[in-house]
Amino acid sequence: MSFVEKVQPYILSDDKHVSEFALKAIEKSYLGTEQTFLNALKAVDKLPAKIRSNPIIPFTRNLPVTARILDEVIARIKVKDHNLAWYASILEYTPTDLLAKYQTELEKLTNEKVLHQMIRLRSMDSEALFTEANGVMNALEKREYNHSLFLYGKRALRELINRGEYEPDNFSNIGNGITSALNEELFSLNGIYNVFLVGEQKIQSLVPTLISLLVRTEEDLLIEEAIDALIKIGTEEVLGEVEKYIQNEDTAFAAIEIIGNIKLPAAEEILLRQLDNASDQTAKTLMAEALCLQLSTTAIPMIADLVEDGFDDTILDLREVLYPACIITQTNHPKLEDWKQHLDEMDAYWKQQQKRLFEEEATSKGIGRNDPCICGSGEKFKNCCGA
C-alpha cells in the first residue's frame, strides 16, 4: 500500500487533529490524487462554512484538479454558502484546458475578466506566450509582489510545457537562466521561474544547482520554489545531496522540510540517523515532525521522549503530529489519550481567543450582537463570528 493510499482515508476522520494532519502530509508531498481531493471536499462538507477561515481548502493547492473535481467545485460554488470564496480560489489552480472546457458555465459564477485572461493563453502562439511570461516577470520586478500574478506566470509557463517548448534538448536554457541569476544580489523573477520549471520537468541534472540555492536564506520566494522543485523531483539523489545541508543551522529548516516530504524509505533512514546525532533542540523538533510526516513507527518512542523531556515549542507542538501519526499507524502508545486531551484543550483555548478578538473588533466598529456580522456574511453577529 502506498503512502497516499494509507493516509488519504483519514482525511475523512471525525477527529479534526487526524483529518488535518492527513491532508497536510499528502499535499506538501505532491503525491495527492483525484481521490485525495474528493476526500478533502467531503471533509469540508462536514464542517460549518466560514467566510474568514477554512482548515481544508488551503491544503488542496498541490492536489490535481480534474474534470470530476471541477464538477464538484462548480456545484459547491452554485450553493453560494460562506465557503464561496474558498471554492472559487480553487479555480486559480485549475488547469487552463479545463477552464476553457467549462468556460460557459464558469462565466456565470466567477470574475469573467480574470477567467478570460487565463483562458486566452491557449489562443496565443508560443512566441506570444514567452512574451506574456516575460511581461509578468517584469511587472513583478517593478511592483509589490502579487501572488495571483505570480501564479498567472506559472500558468503561462505550464502552457509552454504542454506545447513541448521545454524539452530535454533545451533544458540547458533553464539551467542558464538559474546560473545567470546566481550572480545577482537579489535572485531575479526570471531565475525563480526557471527554478519552478526544473521542478515541473523533474530535471535531475539540475538538482545540485537547486540545492546550492538553499543558502540564500533571506529570499523566501526563491527558497520556497527550490524546496517545492526538489520535492517534486523526489529521488534518492535529492535526499543524499540535501542531507549535507541539515548540519548547517541556516539551511537545516529547508533541508528537513524537503526530506520530510519525499516519501521514500531512504528519507526515513536519513531523518532517524540525523535525529539520533542532533544536539540542537530546534533541529531535533523539526526532524521529529518530519518523521511523523513519514509515518515512521520506529521514531515514535524517540519523539514521545522528546515530548516528555522538552522540545522547541516556539515553532510547533509535536503532539499535533505525533498523535495523528500514532492513530494512522495504529500505534497504541500509553500517552495517546493524554496527547489528544492536550490538543482538544488547546483547540478550545484558541477558539475562545478568536471569539474574544472578533468581539473586540465588533465593539470597536460599534456592531452589536444582533447587527450584521463583521465578516460580511449577512447573518447576525451572534449567529456567526460571535457565536
Side-chain angles (χ1 to χ4, degrees), residues 108-147:
K108 305 169 187 175
L109 302 172
T110 189
N111 185 312
E112 273 193 68
K113 183 179 179 181
V114 173
L115 180 66
H116 290 166
Q117 183 183 30
M118 293 189 287
I119 291 174
R120 76 186 180 92
L121 294 173
R122 298 179 75 247
S123 64
M124 294 181 181
D125 60 28
S126 293
E127 184 178 353
L129 273 173
F130 277 114
T131 301
E132 187 79 358
N134 287 329
V136 170
M137 295 174 203
N138 291 333
L140 287 168
E141 295 280 11
K142 293 176 181 177
R143 67 174 73 165
E144 186 176 343
Y145 177 75
N146 180 299
H147 191 59

Side-chain angles (χ1 to χ4, degrees), residues 92-331:
E92 202 162 29
Y93 300 87
T94 300
T96 308
D97 60 340
L98 271 181
L99 293 179
K101 182 179 179 181
Y102 286 78
Q103 179 175 352
T104 302
E105 193 167 8
L106 287 171
E107 283 175 341
K108 305 169 187 175
L109 302 172
T110 189
N111 185 312
E112 273 193 68
K113 183 179 179 181
V114 173
L115 180 66
H116 290 166
Q117 183 183 30
M118 293 189 287
I119 291 174
R120 76 186 180 92
L121 294 173
R122 298 179 75 247
S123 64
M124 294 181 181
D125 60 28
S126 293
E127 184 178 353
L129 273 173
F130 277 114
T131 301
E132 187 79 358
N134 287 329
V136 170
M137 295 174 203
N138 291 333
L140 287 168
E141 295 280 11
K142 293 176 181 177
R143 67 174 73 165
E144 186 176 343
Y145 177 75
N146 180 299
H147 191 59
S148 291
L149 184 59
F150 183 63
L151 291 177
Y152 177 70
K154 286 185 173 182
R155 184 180 292 277
L157 293 176
R158 284 195 179 101
E159 186 67 26
L160 286 165
I161 290 172
N162 292 339
R163 296 183 188 187
E165 295 293 341
Y166 290 106
E167 292 297 310
D169 290 345
N170 54 20
F171 280 172
S172 60
N173 294 334
I174 298 174
N176 291 338
I178 297 173
T179 302
S180 63
L182 283 171
N183 300 320
E184 301 168 5
E185 183 178 351
L186 187 65
F187 215 79
S188 67
L189 262 299
N190 178 64
I192 291 173
Y193 274 122
N194 276 292
V195 169
F196 163 73
L197 286 170
V198 175
E200 288 293 288
Q201 296 291 80
K202 298 184 178 181
I203 307 175
Q204 186 73 44
S205 62
L206 290 175
V207 165
T209 304
L210 286 188
I211 293 175
S212 71
L213 301 176
L214 299 181
V215 300
R216 301 178 71 121
T217 55
E218 299 298 317
E219 301 179 62
D220 292 346
L221 184 60
L222 171 62
I223 294 298
E224 181 181 331
E225 290 300 322
I227 289 171
D228 287 350
L230 288 163
I231 293 171
K232 289 175 188 176
I233 296 170
T235 61
E236 289 192 1
E237 180 186 344
V238 171
L239 292 172
E241 292 295 318
V242 170
E243 183 179 9
K244 302 170 187 176
Y245 287 74
I246 288 183
Q247 300 301 328
N248 185 322
E249 182 180 347
D250 292 333
T251 57
F253 277 64
I256 295 167
E257 181 177 349
I258 293 163
I259 295 170
N261 285 293
I262 295 176
K263 311 304 183 184
L264 294 176
E268 180 185 2
E269 292 168 10
I270 289 170
L271 290 166
L272 286 168
R273 180 169 61 249
Q274 291 291 338
L275 179 61
D276 193 45
N277 295 328
S279 56
D280 179 75
Q281 190 179 59
T282 299
K284 290 174 73 172
T285 302
L286 291 170
M287 290 176 206
E289 178 193 33
L291 281 161
C292 287
L293 291 170
Q294 289 281 347
L295 299 183
S296 172
T297 53
T298 304
I300 285 175
M302 303 163 67
I303 300 170
D305 287 343
L306 263 182
V307 170
E308 292 300 308
D309 298 338
F311 58 92
D312 189 350
D313 59 3
T314 64
I315 55 171
L316 61 95
D317 185 340
L318 275 178
R319 286 159 290 204
E320 291 180 354
V321 290
L322 179 55
Y323 165 72
C326 286
I327 296 297
I328 293 172
T329 59
Q330 299 181 2
T331 302

Side-chain angles (χ1 to χ4, degrees), residues 29-42:
S29 71
Y30 288 92
L31 296 175
T33 64
E34 179 183 79
Q35 189 59 53
T36 310
F37 212 136
L38 289 171
N39 283 11
L41 291 173
K42 291 175 184 176

Side-chain angles (χ1 to χ4, degrees), residues 70-83:
L70 188 52
D71 281 330
E72 292 285 342
V73 170
I74 288 172
R76 285 164 169 77
I77 290 175
K78 288 179 178 178
V79 173
K80 296 183 178 180
D81 65 7
H82 292 349
N83 279 326

Side-chain angles (χ1 to χ4, degrees), residues 16-86:
K16 70 180 292 291
H17 310 300
V18 176
S19 174
E20 292 175 14
F21 170 88
L23 181 57
K24 292 174 186 177
I26 294 174
E27 187 261 353
K28 188 61 178 176
S29 71
Y30 288 92
L31 296 175
T33 64
E34 179 183 79
Q35 189 59 53
T36 310
F37 212 136
L38 289 171
N39 283 11
L41 291 173
K42 291 175 184 176
V44 173
D45 292 341
K46 296 167 71 174
L47 301 172
K50 294 183 179 180
I51 289 177
R52 289 196 171 194
S53 63
N54 188 295
I56 301 295
I57 292 177
F59 297 98
T60 63
R61 290 171 183 170
N62 294 332
L63 304 180
V65 181
T66 62
R68 185 179 178 188
I69 296 301
L70 188 52
D71 281 330
E72 292 285 342
V73 170
I74 288 172
R76 285 164 169 77
I77 290 175
K78 288 179 178 178
V79 173
K80 296 183 178 180
D81 65 7
H82 292 349
N83 279 326
L84 174 61
W86 294 103

